[in-house]
Amino acid sequence: MEKYLYIALFAPLVGSLFVALFASRPKMLFTGILASAFIGISMIASFVLLFHVYNHEPLHVEMMDWISAGNIDIPFGFIVDEVSVIMMVTVTLVSTVVHVYSIGYMDHDKSFNRFFTYLSAFVFSMLILVMSDNFVGLFIGWEGVGLCSWMLIGFWYHKHSASWAANEAFIMNRIADLGMLMGLFLIYWNVGSLQYSDVFEAVKTLNPALVGTIGVLLFIGAMGKSAQFPLHTWLADAMEGPTPVSALIHAATMVTAGVYLVIRCGEIYTIIPQVGFGIACLGAFVAVFAASMALVNNDLKRIIAYSTLSQLGYMFVAGGLGAYWIALFHLMTHAFFKSLLFLGAGNVMHAMHDELNIKKMGGLYGSMKATAILMSVASVALAGIYPFAGFFSKDKILEVAFNEGAYFLWFALFIGAGLTAFYSFRLVMLVFFGEKKYGHELHPHEAQPFVIYALMPLGLLAAISGFFEHSFREFTTRLLSDYGVHLEHHIEVILIASTLGIAISGIAFAIYMYGKRGGFSACWEKSFGYKVLSNQYYIPKLYEMVIIKPFGVASEFMWKKIDVKIVDFTVDLIARVLYASGEKSRKMQSGNLSDMLRWMIVGIVILLALAIFYRPMV
C-alpha cells in the first residue's frame, strides 16, 4: 500500500512540474488534460487507500530523515488514517472535477498552462497538509496552500483588484500563522517533539493552562485559514480569482484546513473544553454574521463565498463542542455542494460575459437548464432539505448544540439555517427565473457538454452523500471520539422538524418575494439596515481607518523621514567621504619616482613618531 500513498501524494506535484515546463508558452490543450489526469490518478490512489484503511489498519510511512539538529529529530513521514484519508478523497475528488472543468473555463485564457501549474501545486500542498504525521509537515503544507492561493487569487495580476485581493489574503493569513507558529514552538518547548503521536500523548500530563494557551494559539492559525471573524474579510475579496480557484479554495481545500486542524488536534481540545466552547461560540456568531451579509449581496460569487464562511462557522461549532466526526462529515458534504455552486456560477458568468450582478440576470433557465438544475440541487443541499446531504450533516450540528445545553448556540444556528435557505434561493430565483434583466446583445448559452458531465458527480454526491452517515460515523470514530446525541426521541423529532420547517419557510419566502413580487421595495435598499449589511457592517472601512491608513502614514513617515533622510543620507555620506578621499589619495599613485620617495619619507616619519611616543601599558 505504500506505493499508493506516494502516488496519491506526488502525482499532483509531477503534473504541476511537467506543465510548468510549458508555463510561458501559448495555450496547449494537452497540459490541462495531463494535469487533470495526474489529479485523477491521485484520486484513484486515495480511494484505494480508503478501502485499505476501512478494512485494515492505518498506514504510517517514514519516507526519510528530514530535520535532525540537536535534540530535534523530525522524519519526512506521512499517515493515512481515518481522518486524513477522508480529507484525501474529498480533496482529490473535488480537485479532479475542478481540473476537468477548468479545461473548458480557461479555454481562451492566454495563461492556460500557467493556471494548471498553480492549480496542481495547490492540490499537492493540501495533500502534504492533511497527510503529514507531524506538525512541521502540516505547517509546510499550510504555508504551501497559502503561497499557491496567493498565486491563484492574483492570477490575473494585471487587474489591480486581483493583486490587492491576493495580497490581502496572503498578509492576513501570515498574521494568523504567527500565532500558530508560536503554538508549535510552545509544543516543542514543553514536549520535545512535534510528532502527532508524541504530542497527543504528552499533553495529557501538561498543565491545563499551558494546554489552553497552545489550543488558543493553534486556533488563531485556524481563524486565518478558515476566515473566521475578525480575520474574515479576505475570503469574499478572494473572488477576484478565476471561478475554478474559488471552487477549490473555498469548498474542499484551503478554508477547510482550519477545521481539519481542530479535528486533528481533538485530543488537545478535549482537555480544554472551555477553549472549545469559545471556538463554538465564535463559529455560531460567524454562521449568522456571514449569512446576514449574503442576504443583500448582489455579487453572484460573493453570495456563495459568504455562504462558505457561514458553513465554516457550523463546522467550528461541532468541532468546538467535541463532535469531531460530525464536523468532518459536514466538511465533506459541504465540499460537494459548495464546489458545485461555484462551478455552476462559473457557467453563468461565461454565459453572461463575466457579469456578476444577479439583478442583471433573470430567466436563464430557458438557455441553461442543466446548470440551473445542478445549482438548484446544490442550493437545496445547502439549505438542509431532506434527503439531500446538507440535511444530514447540518442537522446533526444543531442537535449537538441542543444536546450540550448551549441553547443560544442552537438558536443562532437555527436562525442561520433559515437565512441560508432564503439567500440560496434568492440567488436561484434572480439568476434562473423571473423576468430577464439583461440586454438583447447577450445570448446566454449552456457550457460545453464535457463541463456539464464533469459536474454531475458533484450533483449526485450533493444529493446522496448524507445517506452514508452511519458508515461514516463507524469509520471515523475508530480514531475520533464517538460523540453521540442523547436526546429523547420526541425532542429529536421536534428539533429536526423545526429546522426543516424554517429551511422550507426560507425557500418559500424567497420564491414568493422574487418569483411573485419581484423582490423587496426600493425603500428597503435605502434603509440603514440594508446599508449596514451591504457594507459588511462597515468592518472593511473600519480596518482601513484604524489599521491600513495609519500604517500607510507611518510607513510614509519612516520612508521619507527615517529611511531617506537618515539611513540613506548616512550611507550616501560614507560613500561620498570614501569617494572624495579616494580622489585625493589617487594623487599618491602618480608614478613619479620623486613623489613616491617623498611619501616614503612621510611614512617613515609617522612610524618613528609612533615608536617614540607610543608606550604599551604593562
Side-chain angles (χ1 to χ4, degrees):
M1 282 295 120
E2 187 174 333
K3 65 180 179 181
Y4 289 103
L5 185 152
Y6 294 140
I7 291 171
L9 177 61
F10 291 110
L13 177 62
V14 173
S16 176
L17 293 176
F18 185 83
V19 175
L21 298 174
F22 308 95
S24 60
R25 297 188 181 184
K27 176 202 166 185
M28 297 178 178
L29 183 62
F30 83 92
T31 57
I33 296 173
L34 194 67
S36 303
F38 275 109
I39 298 294
I41 291 169
S42 178
M43 179 188 68
I44 293 169
S46 297
F47 272 104
V48 171
L49 291 167
L50 172 63
F51 293 127
H52 171 77
V53 176
Y54 189 83
N55 295 305
H56 302 91
E57 295 293 319
L59 184 64
H60 189 191
V61 173
E62 290 190 1
M63 186 176 173
M64 60 183 179
D65 290 334
W66 185 22
I67 301 175
S68 295
N71 295 326
I72 189 168
D73 184 15
I74 302 173
F76 198 58
F78 304 96
I79 187 166
V80 179
D81 57 18
E82 290 81 1
V83 172
S84 60
V85 77
I86 291 292
M87 291 295 296
M88 289 167 62
V89 167
T90 303
V91 168
T92 54
L93 194 156
V94 174
S95 298
T96 301
V97 172
V98 170
H99 273 71
V100 175
Y101 175 91
S102 299
I103 295 173
Y105 188 88
M106 302 296 291
D107 183 51
H108 301 295
D109 198 287
K110 63 180 181 180
S111 299
F112 182 89
N113 303 337
R114 179 169 61 89
F115 178 80
F116 281 94
T117 299
Y118 295 166
L119 203 63
S120 294
F122 184 90
V123 178
F124 170 69
S125 298
M126 187 65 189
L127 289 173
I128 286 282
L129 190 158
V130 301
M131 294 174 68
S132 290
D133 67 348
N134 59 80
F135 282 103
V136 176
L138 178 142
F139 190 73
I140 296 297
W142 193 274
E143 296 304 305
V145 294
L147 172 62
C148 293
S149 68
W150 176 76
M151 294 189 293
L152 287 166
I153 295 168
F155 182 75
W156 291 318
Y157 54 84
H158 54 277
K159 293 169 56 180
H160 172 74
S161 57
S163 295
W164 192 91
N167 289 335
E168 180 190 20
F170 191 79
I171 293 168
M172 198 163 284
N173 273 275
R174 299 294 74 72
I175 293 169
D177 291 352
L178 177 61
M180 181 180 176
L181 198 58
M182 291 171 64
L184 298 186
F185 287 152
L186 203 57
I187 289 173
Y188 182 74
W189 184 266
N190 290 278
V191 176
S193 174
L194 289 167
Q195 293 291 119
Y196 291 150
S197 55
D198 297 336
V199 173
F200 298 151
E201 185 63 33
V203 291
K204 299 173 185 177
T205 63
L206 296 179
N207 186 307
L210 175 63
V211 179
T213 304
I214 291 172
V216 170
L217 290 172
L218 292 179
F219 181 66
I220 290 173
M223 286 171 61
K225 202 64 78 185
S226 294
Q228 294 297 284
F229 180 87
L231 304 176
H232 65 282
T233 55
W234 71 265
L235 189 140
D237 293 334
M239 296 300 102
E240 290 292 337
T243 301
V245 173
S246 304
L248 194 57
I249 290 179
H250 300 105
T253 53
M254 179 173 169
V255 297
T256 61
V259 181
Y260 169 78
L261 177 65
V262 172
I263 294 169
R264 176 58 77 182
C265 296
E267 295 193 44
I268 292 177
Y269 289 105
T270 301
I271 301 172
I272 44 174
Q274 66 279 12
V275 174
F277 188 73
I279 293 172
C281 290
L282 179 62
F285 167 75
V286 171
V288 178
F289 171 72
S292 66
M293 292 188 287
L295 291 175
V296 301
N297 205 285
N298 296 320
D299 187 297
L300 177 63
K301 288 174 65 178
R302 281 178 176 261
I303 293 171
I304 305 173
Y306 287 130
S307 173
T308 298
L309 183 55
S310 179
Q311 296 306 305
L312 287 166
Y314 278 84
M315 297 175 208
F316 277 117
V317 170
L321 295 178
Y324 303 113
W325 76 267
I326 296 175
L328 186 61
F329 187 46
H330 192 53
L331 185 157
M332 182 188 72
T333 59
H334 172 264
F336 300 144
F337 55 72
K338 187 53 61 65
S339 56
L340 180 58
L341 275 173
F342 270 118
L343 297 179
N347 289 350
V348 173
M349 286 177 60
H350 264 330
M352 296 297 294
H353 294 185
D354 292 334
E355 177 61 63
L356 284 169
N357 191 337
I358 59 176
K359 288 196 170 183
K360 296 181 180 179
M361 299 179 187
L364 291 179
Y365 179 80
S367 52
M368 303 184 69
K369 289 183 179 179
T371 298
I373 292 171
L374 287 168
M375 288 191 70
S376 297
V377 167
S379 297
V380 173
L382 173 60
I385 304 301
Y386 182 86
F388 293 85
F391 168 81
F392 294 91
S393 57
K394 189 157 66 172
D395 186 74
K396 275 290 179 187
I397 297 174
L398 275 89
E399 289 182 28
V400 167
F402 200 91
N403 185 66
E404 291 293 319
Y407 301 121
F408 69 96
L409 294 184
W410 173 85
F411 184 72
L413 299 181
F414 178 75
I415 297 299
L419 298 179
T420 300
F422 176 79
Y423 69 67
S424 298
F425 275 82
R426 172 179 177 265
L427 183 151
V428 170
M429 295 303 297
L430 285 174
V431 172
F432 295 109
F433 301 100
E435 181 184 352
K436 294 181 180 179
K437 303 292 181 63
Y438 53 89
H440 296 291
E441 69 278 2
L442 290 177
H443 302 283
H445 56 85
E446 188 58 272
Q448 302 173 59
F450 81 89
V451 171
I452 298 299
Y453 294 143
L455 299 184
M456 287 183 177
L458 292 178
L460 179 64
L461 289 167
I464 69 168
S465 59
F467 290 106
F468 295 100
E469 176 190 336
H470 295 296
S471 56
F472 184 92
R473 176 180 181 176
E474 179 186 347
F475 177 62
T476 54
T477 51
R478 296 178 190 174
L479 178 66
L480 303 175
S481 58
D482 187 7
Y483 185 94
V485 177
H486 306 290
L487 296 172
E488 294 183 18
H489 180 69
H490 69 280
I491 294 178
E492 190 172 354
V493 171
I494 292 172
L495 289 177
I496 293 173
S498 59
T499 306
L500 194 57
I502 195 172
I504 293 173
S505 299
I507 293 172
F509 187 52
I511 293 173
Y512 171 73
M513 289 301 301
Y514 295 97
K516 298 291 184 181
R517 295 189 54 180
F520 289 91
S521 64
C523 295
W524 161 238
E525 296 188 3
K526 296 178 181 178
S527 67
F528 175 74
Y530 182 91
K531 291 178 180 178
V532 169
L533 295 178
S534 60
N535 285 286
Q536 305 174 56
Y537 293 91
Y538 295 100
I539 291 174
K541 290 184 179 179
L542 178 66
Y543 286 175
E544 184 176 358
M545 288 171 27
V546 176
I547 299 174
I548 298 173
K549 285 186 177 179
F551 184 81
V553 170
S555 298
E556 187 174 7
F557 173 81
M558 295 297 290
W559 165 45
K560 291 183 177 179
K561 303 298 183 182
I562 306 298
D563 193 35
V564 173
K565 292 192 174 182
I566 297 178
V567 178
D568 286 355
F569 175 77
T570 302
V571 173
D572 292 342
L573 178 63
I574 293 171
R576 285 196 296 269
V577 169
L578 291 175
Y579 183 81
S581 62
E583 281 290 311
K584 298 295 183 181
S585 301
R586 191 170 62 178
K587 297 176 181 179
M588 297 170 60
Q589 302 292 332
S590 63
N592 185 289
L593 182 59
S594 299
D595 290 340
M596 301 297 285
L597 288 171
R598 292 190 188 97
W599 282 113
M600 287 176 64
I601 292 169
V602 170
I604 291 170
V605 170
I606 292 172
L607 289 173
L608 288 172
L610 288 173
I612 292 170
F613 296 105
Y614 176 72
R615 294 287 187 272
M617 294 180 66
V618 179

